[in-house]
Amino acid sequence: MMNDTYGDKVLIVEGKSDKKKVKSILKEPIEIICTNGTISMAKLDELIDSLEDKEVYILVDADDAGEKLRKQLKREFPQAEHLYIDRMYREVATAPVYHLATVLLGANIDVHSEFLEMG
């Protein structure tokens, strides 16, 4: 049973540090799922079932590993919305919070406004 405190939005990220960082920026209750870089078919099938009625957002690093994961997720979640960080930051974990806040806001995800003022 999914936790009812979350809305219908789910954000898929790569690592725990990404999750922690994004979580601090978010204003709305979004479930954040970590793939820890790679994801097995079994885990993926499980995810697909549990995310059937959800709005899925994907935010991964702008590097080769991130792109590979994005391709895999694109196949399995064709309806997902892909969020992209600027390539110059490469990693979600090291991207400035105001940049991440702007990217999330661009996908109509509610963020704490103080992060937008940091840029």
Side-chain angles (χ1 to χ4, degrees):
M1 180 66 198
M2 282 299 233
N3 189 335
D4 289 334
T5 54
Y6 292 119
D8 286 331
K9 293 179 180 175
V10 174
L11 182 65
I12 299 178
V13 297
E14 279 177 89
K16 287 195 171 63
S17 52
D18 301 354
K19 178 176 180 170
K20 219 166 118 178
K21 188 160 190 175
V22 171
K23 207 183 172 91
S24 67
I25 300 169
L26 293 175
K27 197 172 175 178
E28 56 178 298
I30 294 179
E31 185 178 357
I32 303 175
I33 294 172
C34 282
T35 63
N36 296 316
T38 54
I39 191 162
S40 68
M41 273 325 286
K43 182 99 174 92
L44 204 52
D45 286 341
E46 215 174 281
L47 259 189
I48 293 164
D49 291 343
S50 67
L51 301 181
E52 217 170 358
D53 314 318
K54 303 279 179 181
E55 282 177 59
V56 180
Y57 296 86
I58 294 166
L59 178 64
V60 295
D61 293 347
D63 58 14
D64 292 345
E67 286 308 312
K68 196 177 158 200
L69 179 62
R70 196 185 282 282
K71 275 203 183 83
Q72 191 183 9
L73 293 170
K74 227 176 208 160
R75 266 200 311 271
E76 307 301 337
F77 299 104
Q79 79 293 2
E81 185 161 344
H82 289 266
L83 312 183
Y84 295 90
I85 61 165
D86 194 305
R87 271 201 164 294
M88 70 184 208
Y89 300 127
R90 287 184 65 82
E91 295 180 357
V92 172
T94 52
V97 283
Y98 71 82
H99 178 64
L100 292 176
T102 307
V103 168
L104 292 161
L105 194 65
N108 292 319
I109 293 173
D110 210 4
V111 297
H112 293 293
S113 55
E114 63 264 27
F115 288 112
L116 297 168
E117 289 149 20
M118 289 173 158

